[in-house]
Amino acid sequence: MARADKQAAVAEIVESFNDSAGAVLTEYRGLTVKQLQDLRRSLGENANYAVVKNTLAKIAATEVGIEGFDDLLTGPTAIAFINGDVVEAAKGLRDFAKANPTLVIKGGVLDGKPLDASEIAKLADLESREVLLGKLAGAMLASLSQAVYLLNAPLAQAARLAGALQAKAEEDPSILAGGAGAPAAAEEAPAAETEAAPAADEAAPADDSATEA
């Protein structure tokens, strides 16, 4: 490969590293062209699966500041540059490797930090972003429903109280006039009797004077 071609190839790998959220290194020894096509199709938009030369990949990794790749870059190497959902990409590689054991996942990098094969496997076991967002949305809706219930509870109680008062008013319309009615008249009677008592007391001395005369 000419020097200019090598520089262009390195620059392309560097750009792929910089534009991706992570990368997974694999050894594809024994995979057919059709199997590689199937793997790319299964990854979809989540990752770009590219065959690379180890020497050029080492240079590119050094340029972008990735460490720990030298020991992994052996044998026929292809890198899955992850542009979409990291977990979904890891799941796709794991599932394909299970169906096609000749694909070996050797390690990778995520947010600039190196990952070994076991960490990639743990990443694949996580729930996808869509599932996590769905659970978060469900939790938020549940909390919102509880909040709405708490806000509406006093209103419902007020509505029940208003209904009870309306029913009481229909039975006794005097309630609407302040609850006076017949009981108020009954309360006025003792007051009249109280006023009449002093008048009777004042009449008694007049009768005594008449007797003396």
Short mmCIF file of all heavy atoms in Angstrom, two decimals, residues 31 40 43 77 122 147 182 201:
data_model
loop_
_atom_site.label_atom_id
_atom_site.label_comp_id
_atom_site.label_asym_id
_atom_site.label_seq_id
_atom_site.Cartn_x
_atom_site.Cartn_y
_atom_site.Cartn_z
N LEU A 31 -15.41 -16.48 8.76
CA LEU A 31 -16.71 -16.00 8.30
C LEU A 31 -16.70 -15.81 6.78
O LEU A 31 -15.72 -15.32 6.21
CB LEU A 31 -17.06 -14.67 8.97
CG LEU A 31 -17.38 -14.69 10.46
CD1 LEU A 31 -17.67 -13.29 10.96
CD2 LEU A 31 -18.54 -15.62 10.76
N ARG A 40 -23.51 -7.20 9.17
CA ARG A 40 -23.71 -5.76 8.95
C ARG A 40 -25.20 -5.42 8.94
O ARG A 40 -25.62 -4.40 9.47
CB ARG A 40 -23.04 -5.34 7.63
CG ARG A 40 -21.52 -5.36 7.67
CD ARG A 40 -20.93 -4.73 6.41
NE ARG A 40 -19.48 -4.63 6.49
CZ ARG A 40 -18.64 -5.52 5.94
NH1 ARG A 40 -19.13 -6.59 5.28
NH2 ARG A 40 -17.34 -5.35 6.05
N LEU A 43 -26.66 -5.42 12.48
CA LEU A 43 -26.28 -4.24 13.28
C LEU A 43 -27.06 -3.01 12.85
O LEU A 43 -27.31 -2.11 13.66
CB LEU A 43 -24.78 -3.98 13.14
CG LEU A 43 -23.85 -5.03 13.76
CD1 LEU A 43 -22.39 -4.72 13.43
CD2 LEU A 43 -24.05 -5.11 15.27
N THR A 77 -8.93 -8.67 11.64
CA THR A 77 -9.65 -7.78 12.55
C THR A 77 -10.70 -6.96 11.81
O THR A 77 -10.45 -6.45 10.72
CB THR A 77 -8.68 -6.82 13.26
OG1 THR A 77 -7.72 -7.59 13.99
CG2 THR A 77 -9.42 -5.90 14.22
N LYS A 122 -21.26 -7.95 29.39
CA LYS A 122 -22.12 -7.33 30.40
C LYS A 122 -22.92 -6.18 29.78
O LYS A 122 -24.09 -5.97 30.12
CB LYS A 122 -21.28 -6.82 31.57
CG LYS A 122 -20.66 -7.92 32.41
CD LYS A 122 -19.80 -7.32 33.52
CE LYS A 122 -19.15 -8.41 34.36
NZ LYS A 122 -18.28 -7.84 35.42
N ALA A 147 -50.34 12.18 41.53
CA ALA A 147 -50.44 13.61 41.80
C ALA A 147 -51.83 14.13 41.44
O ALA A 147 -52.43 14.92 42.17
CB ALA A 147 -49.36 14.36 41.02
N ALA A 182 -88.83 28.33 61.81
CA ALA A 182 -89.60 28.16 63.03
C ALA A 182 -88.75 28.15 64.28
O ALA A 182 -89.12 28.72 65.29
CB ALA A 182 -90.42 26.87 62.95
N ASP A 201 -94.17 42.92 88.07
CA ASP A 201 -93.60 43.29 89.37
C ASP A 201 -93.88 44.76 89.69
O ASP A 201 -94.11 45.13 90.83
CB ASP A 201 -92.10 43.04 89.38
CG ASP A 201 -91.80 41.56 89.30
OD1 ASP A 201 -92.71 40.77 89.61
OD2 ASP A 201 -90.66 41.18 88.92
#
